Amino acid sequence: MLASARPFAAGYLLAIVVGVPLGLLIGRFRVVEAALGWMVIAGYAMPMIALIPVFVLWFGLGFTVKVAMVMTMTVFAITINTWNGVQNVPRSIIEVGTAFNASQARILRQIVIPSVIPSIMTGLRIGIGKAVIGIIIAEFFTAIGGVGGVIVDAGHSFQPDRMFAAVVVLMAAAVALTGLIGVIERRL
């Protein structure tokens, strides 16, 4: 579990650090949306499993390729949900901020971000499932350990009990992490 948890956490946190600001920018500024929005949609629609051979060439077979796969699988869901949340902020609230001479940074910080938190949290919840898929895909192809490596090894040695045990552990971890995101969302 630890061999899978480290790259999972690193990739997921990296996806949050990239995805939330990118979604805020795309949703807030039409120029950024025109320049990057289509790339985000295309990235979300792309079958990520096709990137594994390229990622293995670029990053090798270790920790980095797993982080890259988790991040790539997760960042688009977080970005799109944040982007959608920004676009659903009522224009009237933003206009009130503008009428009171609030700067764009202040409008973003005090109006947009608090309004977008539910959408961001939805993206984080969806991202958990995508990240689990990403770590398993990376471990299937690199087969150097982790829960995905256990599944591959159990499949090759005809041990369905080990294989299903690993799958159940993954499901339990995903449910627990999604619950944790729910707790954080209620606090926010």
Side-chain angles (χ1 to χ4, degrees):
M1 278 299 291
L2 192 58
S4 293
R6 287 181 183 152
F8 176 89
Y12 187 72
L13 290 175
L14 189 58
I16 293 170
V17 167
V18 172
V20 171
L22 184 60
L24 289 171
L25 287 173
I26 292 173
R28 188 75 180 108
F29 303 106
R30 292 201 184 270
V31 174
V32 180
E33 181 180 3
L36 300 177
W38 67 273
M39 286 189 247
V40 171
I41 298 299
Y44 185 73
M46 182 176 44
M48 295 298 168
I49 197 165
L51 293 177
I52 283 289
V54 176
F55 280 13
V56 168
L57 285 173
W58 288 347
F59 303 116
L61 293 174
F63 180 82
T64 309
V65 73
K66 294 177 185 180
V67 171
M69 193 65 201
V70 169
M71 189 268 192
T72 305
M73 288 285 294
T74 310
V75 72
F76 296 112
I78 294 171
T79 301
I80 289 170
N81 275 286
T82 304
W83 173 11
N84 186 43
V86 171
Q87 289 183 330
N88 288 327
V89 173
R91 289 268 178 237
S92 58
I93 297 174
I94 293 172
E95 289 170 359
V96 168
T98 304
F100 283 102
N101 293 325
S103 66
Q104 287 298 320
R106 190 166 185 187
I107 288 173
L108 184 68
R109 192 175 57 252
Q110 293 183 338
I111 296 172
V112 174
I113 291 176
S115 299
V116 174
I117 285 178
S119 296
I120 292 171
M121 299 312 286
T122 299
L124 296 182
R125 283 182 180 201
I126 293 170
I128 289 287
K130 295 279 192 178
V132 168
I133 293 168
I135 193 72
I136 295 306
I137 289 172
E139 290 176 349
F140 275 5
F141 282 89
T142 60
I144 298 182
V147 179
V150 170
I151 294 170
V152 169
D153 183 50
H156 288 252
S157 59
F158 302 105
Q159 296 176 324
D161 54 334
R162 281 185 60 217
M163 191 167 52
F164 284 119
V167 169
V168 168
V169 166
L170 282 173
M171 289 172 25
V175 168
L177 290 171
T178 303
L180 178 63
I181 297 292
V183 169
I184 293 169
E185 181 179 14
R186 284 188 292 278
R187 292 237 181 223
L188 287 174

